[in-house]
Amino acid sequence: SKPALWLWGMRSVVRHGRPDVALAFLGGLGDELLCTAPLVEWLQRGARRVWVRTRTPALFHGFDRRAEILPDDPRYDRLAARIGREFRYLGYSRYEPASDRDLPPDRHVIAEMCARAGLTGPVSLRPYLRLEPAEITAAARWQGHIAVQSSTLHAHVPMPNKQWPATRFQEVIDR
């Protein structure tokens, strides 16, 4: 109902604060990790509050309290628009359906995402992953190993053109 939605919106703004900027990608794990770069850039440039809508909130663990990590709930889109802070979707390519291809940007994908986030000037071209000590300890036995995901056919947005033979990945690893 409309009153229930209004009440949810009011509670959400009280809980999360009014953002200076709202960001989202809602893609795969790697895309979501790349979203940490524009988040950090906004925080370093003095944003008081940044909303990040994500399907993988664990990737954003450890950022300071100015980063409000929101679940993938479409109501946040409407709420952000009502308070004058529409979400900036951080894609980095343009899909070409005729060839089933994503056309790459003319610059680094993180630079493109930062531009779509409303950032200008130089940006750091790296994602940020904050790990807990227990996570680092648990992963220690895999130090020196490389994990490769060679299929995207079961991804959130499957794209056959991203399917690459494991032998080609092996060539890249060998080099």
Side-chain angles (χ1 to χ4, degrees):
S1 74
K2 211 170 194 173
L5 187 58
W6 183 87
L7 183 59
W8 174 87
M10 291 299 295
R11 285 182 179 154
S12 294
V13 171
V14 168
R15 181 181 316 128
H16 302 297
R18 188 170 189 265
D20 292 326
V21 65
L23 308 173
F25 189 105
L26 305 176
L29 186 63
D31 296 323
E32 294 282 329
L33 181 59
L34 292 176
C35 291
T36 60
L39 168 60
V40 167
E41 290 291 334
W42 271 112
L43 294 175
Q44 288 176 345
R45 295 170 191 217
R48 293 179 309 265
R49 173 99 40 228
V50 179
W51 283 6
V52 179
R53 187 173 153 213
T54 180
R55 292 187 178 113
T56 55
L59 285 178
F60 295 89
H61 177 76
F63 286 93
D64 73 50
R65 61 186 177 89
R66 296 175 297 152
E68 284 293 325
I69 309 308
L70 307 175
D72 179 19
D73 183 335
R75 295 179 296 179
Y76 285 111
D77 272 349
R78 293 187 297 277
L79 176 60
R82 289 188 79 76
I83 62 174
R85 295 292 192 262
E86 292 189 28
F87 275 89
R88 297 172 186 197
Y89 282 87
L90 305 179
Y92 47 79
S93 61
R94 194 179 87 247
Y95 181 64
E96 178 60 49
S99 61
D100 185 31
R101 295 183 61 115
D102 279 341
L103 301 177
D106 294 330
R107 55 187 157 192
H108 193 284
V109 294
I110 290 177
E112 181 66 25
M113 293 173 82
C114 287
R116 291 183 187 198
L119 295 157
T120 59
V123 295
S124 182
L125 300 177
R126 58 160 294 206
Y128 297 83
L129 179 62
R130 308 239 190 322
L131 298 174
E132 294 288 324
E135 292 171 313
I136 294 168
T137 300
R141 71 183 217 171
W142 301 109
Q143 187 171 359
H145 290 76
I146 297 172
V148 176
Q149 178 181 339
S150 63
S151 175
T152 63
L153 294 181
H154 298 321
H156 178 69
V157 179
M159 292 183 67
N161 71 312
K162 286 186 173 183
Q163 189 69 16
W164 216 42
T167 54
R168 288 191 184 164
F169 277 112
Q170 189 61 53
E171 287 177 33
V172 170
I173 292 166
D174 291 344
R175 287 182 186 196

